Amino acid sequence: MQISTTCRYKKVEENNVYESIKKLILQQALPLGKRIYIEPLADELGVSNTPVREALIQLSTERIIKNEPYAGFFTKEVSEREIRNLYTLNLTLLELSLSLVRNDGQVPGMLKPPKFFEEQSPNETNTPNIEVQILNDLFMHISKQSGNDDVIYGIRNINDRINIIRLQEYDLIPDWHDGLVKLCQLYHQKNIVELKHALKLYHERVIFFCLILYYH
Amino acid sequence: MQISTTCRYKKVEENNVYESIKKLILQQALPLGKRIYIEPLADELGVSNTPVREALIQLSTERIIKNEPYAGFFTKEVSEREIRNLYTLNLTLLELSLSLVRNDGQVPGMLKPPKFFEEQSPNETNTPNIEVQILNDLFMHISKQSGNDDVIYGIRNINDRINIIRLQEYDLIPDWHDGLVKLCQLYHQKNIVELKHALKLYHERVIFFCLILYYH
């Protein structure tokens, strides 16, 4: 047996194994559709096999990877059907969250939206990763308006599973950035009626582009 | 160390460990709010510690039990807030499922509802467990109308987490059975408009009774 002498990732705490592996998957550092071997991964993270295996069980329960009985864990490509289903659920959860925002003045109102875009010079542009992260953050913030842990958990899970697809959409859709800016602005203005409308259009659009992505 | 000579549960296949433990939790064979010890459980199921630990990780990822860092796994009591949140999400997922039923005649229509109640003589009554199981089955069937695996998974998860509460509601609400019969009938008649209305009333009612349950 060859002992690995390189350690690409610094030793992680046992309770951060889950986050570390998830990051590797979301960044596609683990190739798509391939088996995930526990031992090399444990070696790279500087932990024992057990926490790696347990993190993989957690990730497969969250449907971020697949656990094939008698075969092992595999990274997964998201099917066109799964994308459509996740977007449909995403829109439903966002609409639920916005419908629960209290605007009657009797109770605390909407959570203050953060500044999603920092001040930029007009020529400066974000990397695709940062742009997608802003969209993910926007959806997370909207989900928190629900005050419902399961809705928040659902949106986070969809963000994780759709992350790779969103990066592809960013490349495919010419004015993806403008759409994101508009969503953030409407949310910042607390214009919930217009925001609901814009979210619906956004989701219809990405589902349409997702069809192009798969059938071309 | 004392070797257990009794085996209350017959030896289970390793891949049924998850289902077996979940059943014990839903039937409250494991007391509420208490630590779940891995070794006696593995002994009772006739399997080793590892599959039990892995099933517990899966169950805690699904929020059916709690995984407290450095303390272990615990069965959990569902808080009043969690119940309200789960019911809100349940109604939203059921409404989404029914809104996706295709009635335009161009595509395959609604999945045929099963007979939820077998022929009974008027004096015969179901046990609370069977009645709650019928409600769970009804919700599962409605969720399948969505054709969306995540919606189906969500409804199943809520069924599991709310099961104990539904048994309490059955005791608390005098005409719980009649409400169930009505929901099943409307679904059987494919009367989606009325069913949506009845589902909304059902959920408002159980949330109201859940408040009584917690503040009395």
Side-chain angles (χ1 to χ4, degrees):
Chain A
M1 200 181 99
Q2 200 189 335
I3 306 291
S4 168
T5 50
T6 59
C7 186
R8 274 202 276 151
Y9 312 96
K10 77 182 212 303
K11 188 173 177 1
V12 293
E13 292 290 321
E14 298 248 331
N15 54 358
N16 284 328
V17 173
Y18 163 83
E19 288 297 339
S20 303
I21 297 176
K22 192 163 89 174
K23 209 169 163 188
L24 291 176
I25 293 164
L26 298 196
Q27 292 172 343
Q28 290 184 270
L30 298 173
L32 272 185
K34 300 286 181 196
R35 174 137 182 226
I36 303 170
Y37 289 98
I38 293 173
E39 279 182 273
L41 194 52
D43 198 35
E44 284 187 354
L45 296 172
V47 296
S48 68
N49 288 351
T50 305
V52 170
R53 192 175 153 76
E54 293 182 354
L56 293 177
I57 288 169
Q58 199 177 333
L59 288 162
S60 67
T61 307
E62 295 175 327
R63 284 151 290 157
I64 293 168
I65 60 172
K66 277 190 296 186
N67 184 2
E68 301 274 359
Y70 308 109
F73 298 96
F74 292 81
T75 53
K76 61 182 247 197
E77 295 181 270
V78 194
S79 71
E80 182 255 330
R81 180 166 171 263
E82 190 175 354
I83 296 170
R84 266 191 295 123
N85 284 343
L86 287 176
Y87 275 132
T88 303
L89 184 56
N90 198 56
L91 179 60
T92 301
L93 296 180
L94 292 174
E95 283 174 340
L96 171 63
S97 303
L98 290 173
S99 74
L100 294 171
V101 170
R102 288 159 174 190
N103 279 327
D104 56 7
Q106 298 295 315
V107 282
M110 190 168 125
L111 295 169
K112 192 174 180 291
K115 267 201 165 172
F116 291 101
F117 290 94
E118 297 301 319
E119 299 301 331
Q120 283 177 322
S121 73
N123 297 324
E124 225 177 327
T125 50
N126 288 322
T127 64
N129 265 312
I130 290 176
E131 291 269 302
V132 168
Q133 189 56 53
I134 292 171
L135 184 71
N136 291 349
D137 289 346
L138 171 69
F139 289 167
M140 281 310 295
H141 203 277
I142 292 175
S143 75
K144 283 175 190 160
Q145 303 288 353
S146 70
N148 186 323
D149 290 339
D150 277 83
V151 171
I152 297 167
Y153 182 94
I155 293 282
R156 182 181 293 123
N157 180 255
I158 294 170
N159 275 348
D160 288 341
R161 289 161 68 193
I162 223 83
N163 194 64
I164 290 166
I165 304 299
R166 287 196 176 132
L167 287 167
Q168 291 176 28
E169 282 164 14
Y170 181 88
D171 283 339
L172 201 67
I173 304 178
D175 53 351
W176 196 96
H177 169 81
D178 297 338
L180 174 61
V181 171
K182 196 185 171 195
L183 289 177
C184 290
Q185 276 172 349
L186 288 172
Y187 189 52
H188 223 282
Q189 293 158 7
K190 304 190 181 187
N191 188 341
I192 290 179
V193 175
E194 286 295 314
L195 177 60
K196 275 189 180 179
H197 185 65
L199 282 169
K200 198 165 184 295
L201 289 181
Y202 164 82
H203 283 82
E204 281 170 2
R205 197 144 180 249
V206 288
I207 288 171
F208 174 74
F209 271 96
C210 145
L211 286 170
I212 294 178
L213 198 71
Y214 271 83
Y215 295 112
H216 266 74
Chain B
M1 201 180 99
Q2 201 190 336
I3 305 292
S4 168
T5 50
T6 60
C7 186
R8 274 202 276 150
Y9 311 97
K10 78 181 209 307
K11 189 174 177 2
V12 292
E13 292 291 321
E14 298 249 330
N15 55 357
N16 283 329
V17 173
Y18 163 84
E19 288 297 339
S20 303
I21 296 176
K22 192 163 89 172
K23 207 169 164 188
L24 291 176
I25 293 164
L26 298 196
Q27 292 172 343
Q28 290 184 270
L30 297 174
L32 273 184
K34 299 286 180 195
R35 174 137 181 226
I36 303 170
Y37 289 97
I38 293 173
E39 278 183 273
L41 194 52
D43 197 35
E44 285 188 350
L45 297 172
V47 295
S48 68
N49 289 351
T50 305
V52 170
R53 193 175 151 75
E54 292 182 354
L56 294 177
I57 287 170
Q58 199 177 333
L59 288 162
S60 67
T61 307
E62 295 175 326
R63 284 150 290 158
I64 293 168
I65 60 173
K66 277 190 297 187
N67 184 2
E68 300 274 0
Y70 309 108
F73 298 97
F74 292 81
T75 53
K76 62 183 248 198
E77 293 180 272
V78 194
S79 70
E80 181 256 329
R81 180 166 171 262
E82 190 175 354
I83 297 170
R84 266 192 294 124
N85 284 343
L86 287 177
Y87 275 131
T88 304
L89 184 56
N90 198 55
L91 179 60
T92 301
L93 295 180
L94 293 174
E95 284 175 339
L96 171 63
S97 304
L98 290 174
S99 74
L100 293 171
V101 170
R102 288 158 175 191
N103 280 327
D104 54 8
Q106 299 293 316
V107 282
M110 190 168 125
L111 294 170
K112 192 174 180 291
K115 266 202 166 172
F116 291 100
F117 290 94
E118 299 299 319
E119 300 299 333
Q120 283 178 318
S121 72
N123 296 325
E124 228 177 324
T125 49
N126 289 322
T127 64
N129 266 310
I130 290 176
E131 291 270 301
V132 168
Q133 189 56 52
I134 292 171
L135 184 71
N136 291 349
D137 289 345
L138 171 70
F139 289 167
M140 281 310 295
H141 203 278
I142 293 175
S143 75
K144 284 177 189 160
Q145 303 289 355
S146 69
N148 187 322
D149 290 338
D150 277 83
V151 171
I152 297 167
Y153 182 94
I155 293 284
R156 182 180 295 122
N157 180 257
I158 294 170
N159 275 349
D160 288 341
R161 289 160 69 193
I162 223 82
N163 195 65
I164 291 166
I165 304 299
R166 285 194 177 134
L167 286 168
Q168 291 175 27
E169 283 164 13
Y170 180 88
D171 283 339
L172 201 67
I173 304 179
D175 53 353
W176 196 97
H177 168 82
D178 299 337
L180 174 61
V181 170
K182 197 187 169 192
L183 289 177
C184 290
Q185 276 172 349
L186 289 171
Y187 189 53
H188 223 281
Q189 293 159 7
K190 306 191 180 186
N191 188 341
I192 291 179
V193 175
E194 286 296 314
L195 177 60
K196 276 189 177 178
H197 184 66
L199 282 170
K200 196 163 185 296
L201 288 180
Y202 165 82
H203 283 83
E204 281 170 4
R205 196 143 180 249
V206 288
I207 288 171
F208 174 75
F209 271 97
C210 146
L211 287 171
I212 293 179
L213 199 70
Y214 272 82
Y215 295 113
H216 267 74

